[in-house]
């Protein structure tokens, strides 16, 4: 049973709208931290928890949320997640202190952890194989589009409205998207889904929280800090215990046999790699636009548009080519294009204009579209229909955790190069520490002291650090392309889209 042609595309539009809100919510806070510090009298630790409370809850609950959707019904669980996200956004907008904002952000992470895997799991339930690639392209593009829209919308809202508007914006979007989903989507579930796996859930949540917390703290404390090493060791023990438990549990929440399927494993590697490369770019490039080229938050978001155009072009190309070639050639080509764009970007100089950046930014967007979208499509093709929810939870958990680990490592590389090159000699102690800590701090110090030499040194040091990050990403992307070219099954290895059988989800009347 499939949803009517017009209804399923309206349903996809509603899913895309919801993912758009989740996408820009991940970055909109970046431009609001200074405002929150002033209005709520929040210190550095409180600001960090406003950001990290969302990430920790989100990472911990992706996997259990997918299983919950398989058992209770993916549509109703997805709508519940949207309701939680919307209500938490409203609470955040009305909060009068940092404690309320931190709690609201944690519940927003809970809602996002439910919505993300279940929105993905709905796609194979309503789209036949021949249309699924296009649906994945729309779904993935909506999420990616939200990332640069965050600083763009955040900057505009903070200029015209109070700080609460950055949270309040989510409410009407979620409301409209939820109503549209309720009217257009069918209910699906897996009647044979395993019961709640208490030990597995606790081990996975504990391990992921420890891992993400350690990765968040590492760039601040240093990778050799005892707290960081202890938390990461705890994460390794808990996650290893989780895998061992899942292999022996009578009703596992994660089917480890999925990793024996080369289609799934190598598509997962490609998805993590593409996600990491895009995350790495979005980590270093906005700071370059602001601190080196002198753009404000709104201008920074606007200048990320070429990457989005490239991503959309990659999605359109994927939709036309994958049914004829299969996933492998498109993914490998996309990773090669991504490596070329990142490698080109690694030659950026401190004196280059934005115009010289646009070509390689377009190329990176195109490479992301040609690699990430068919990789996600291949993952959904490899997932058994009765495991769509928990399988999607596994996919998103690995993607997000891999991306977080990668960006933390890239952040450490950027910081090491920047600190080694920035010249802070002759500055007062506090000013030298601020300039040495970040390029934003150096720009602020240079402005107060009218120190043109410090400003030039900081900008040059940051660009060298950015180039190192882009070069590392280019090498990683090329290495993954070679691995997939060598080991990923091609079309004869069942990498086929057009000829896949209809989904075997149990459909329940809406």
């Amino acid at each position: 049973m499939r949803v009517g042609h017009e209804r399923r595309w309206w349903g996809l539009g509603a899913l895309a709208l919801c993912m758009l809100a989740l996408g820009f919510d991940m970055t909109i806070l970046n431009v609001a931290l200074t405002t929150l510090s002033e209005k709520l009298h929040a210190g550095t630790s409180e600001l960090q928890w406003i950001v990290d409370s969302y990430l920790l809850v989100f990472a911990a609950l992706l996997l259990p949320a997918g299983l919950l959707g398989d058992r209770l019904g993916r549509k109703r669980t997805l709508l519940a997640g949207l309701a939680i996200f919307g209500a938490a956004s409203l609470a955040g907008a009305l909060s009068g202190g940092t404690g309320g904002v931190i709690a609201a952000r944690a519940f927003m992470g809970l809602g996002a952890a439910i919505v993300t895997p279940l929105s993905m799991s709905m796609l194979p339930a309503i789209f036949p194989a021949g249309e699924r690639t296009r649906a994945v392209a729309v779904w993935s593009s909506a999420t990616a589009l939200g990332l640069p829209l965050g600083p763009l919308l955040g900057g505009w809202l903070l200029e015209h409205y109070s700080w609460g508007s950055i949270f309040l914006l989510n409410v009407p979007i979620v409301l409209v998207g939820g109503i549209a989903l309720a009217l257009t989507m069918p209910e699906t579930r897996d009647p044979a889904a395993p019961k709640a796996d208490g030990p597995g859930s606790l081990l996975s949540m504990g391990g992921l929280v420890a891992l993400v917390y350690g990765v968040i703290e590492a760039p601040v404390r240093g990778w050799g800090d005892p707290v960081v090493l202890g938390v990461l060791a705890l994460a390794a023990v808990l996650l290893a215990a989780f895998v061992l438990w899942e292999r022996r549990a009578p009703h596992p929440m994660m089917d480890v046999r999925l990793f024996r399927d080369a289609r799934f494993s190598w598509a997962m590697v490609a998805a993590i790699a593409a996600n990491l490369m895009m995350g790495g770019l979005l980590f270093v490039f906005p700071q370059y636009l602001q601190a080196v080229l002198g753009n404000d938050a709104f201008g920074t978001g606007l200048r990320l548009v070429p990457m989005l155009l490239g991503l959309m072009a990659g999605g359109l190309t994927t939709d036309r080519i994958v049914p004829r070639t299969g996933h492998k050639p498109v993914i490998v080509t996309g990773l090669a294009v991504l490596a070329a764009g990142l490698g080109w970007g690694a030659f950026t100089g401190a004196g280059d204009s934005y115009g010289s950046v646009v070509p390689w930014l377009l190329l990176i967007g195109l490479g992301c579209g040609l690699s990430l979208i068919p990789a996600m499509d291949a993952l959904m093709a490899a997932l058994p229909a009765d495991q769509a929810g928990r399988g999607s939870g596994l996919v998103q958990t690995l993607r997000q955790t891999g991306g977080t680990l990668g960006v933390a490592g890239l952040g450490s590389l950027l910081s090491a190069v920047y600190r080694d090159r920035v010249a802070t000699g002759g500055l007062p102690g506090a000013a030298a520490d601020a300039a040495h800590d970040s390029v934003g701090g150096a720009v602020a110090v240079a402005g107060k002291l009218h120190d043109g030499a410090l400003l030039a040194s900081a900008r040059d040091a940051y660009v060298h650090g950015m180039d190192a990050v882009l070069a590392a990403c280019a090498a990683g992307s090329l290495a993954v392309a070679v691995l997939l070219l060598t080991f990923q099954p091609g079309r004869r290895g069942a990498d086929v889209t057009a000829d896949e059988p209809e989904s075997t989800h149990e459909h329940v009347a809406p």
Side-chain angles (χ1 to χ4, degrees), residues 253-471:
M253 64 184 296
M254 181 185 77
D255 188 353
V256 295
R257 292 173 299 178
L258 284 171
F259 294 101
R260 299 175 189 170
D261 183 348
R263 292 180 307 152
F264 180 87
S265 297
W266 287 109
M268 190 72 253
V269 170
I272 291 173
N275 198 57
L276 193 159
M277 304 314 164
M278 187 165 66
L281 177 72
L282 289 172
F283 176 72
V284 300
F285 193 65
Q287 295 181 74
Y288 165 78
L289 291 173
Q290 290 182 308
V292 178
L293 297 188
N295 296 290
D296 59 13
F298 183 81
T300 295
L302 202 60
R303 284 164 177 78
L304 288 169
V305 168
M307 188 188 75
L308 295 178
L309 295 177
L311 184 72
M312 292 170 65
L316 291 172
T317 304
T318 297
D319 179 48
R320 297 187 178 186
I321 295 178
V322 164
R324 295 197 295 267
T325 66
H327 298 106
K328 178 178 177 176
V330 182
I331 297 173
V332 171
T333 300
L335 289 168
V337 170
L338 185 56
L342 291 164
W344 187 352
F347 289 97
T348 301
D352 290 353
S353 67
Y354 174 71
S356 66
V357 166
V358 171
W360 59 261
L361 200 58
L362 277 165
L363 206 57
I364 289 174
L366 179 63
C368 280
L370 289 173
S371 53
L372 181 59
I373 292 171
M376 296 299 292
D377 190 35
L379 284 167
M380 279 192 279
L383 284 175
D386 59 354
Q387 295 186 32
R390 58 190 184 276
S392 297
L394 174 63
V395 168
Q396 294 300 334
T397 299
L398 293 175
R399 269 189 66 201
Q400 300 298 334
T401 305
T404 302
L405 282 169
V407 169
L410 295 173
S412 295
L413 173 62
L414 172 68
S415 179
V417 174
Y418 170 80
R419 291 177 178 177
D420 185 59
R421 298 185 68 93
V422 65
T424 58
L427 292 175
D433 289 342
H436 200 249
D437 187 54
S438 70
V439 66
V443 170
V445 169
K448 290 179 180 178
L449 300 179
H450 306 288
D451 191 338
L454 173 61
L455 182 62
S457 173
R459 286 175 169 172
D460 181 72
Y462 185 83
V463 170
H464 274 86
M466 182 182 78
D467 289 349
V469 168
L470 294 179

Side-chain angles (χ1 to χ4, degrees), residues 119-142:
S119 64
M120 176 183 166
S121 73
M122 295 295 289
L123 300 182
I126 61 174
F127 287 96
E131 294 178 346
R132 194 189 55 232
T133 302
R134 185 176 305 170
V136 171
V138 172
W139 183 86
S140 301
S141 297

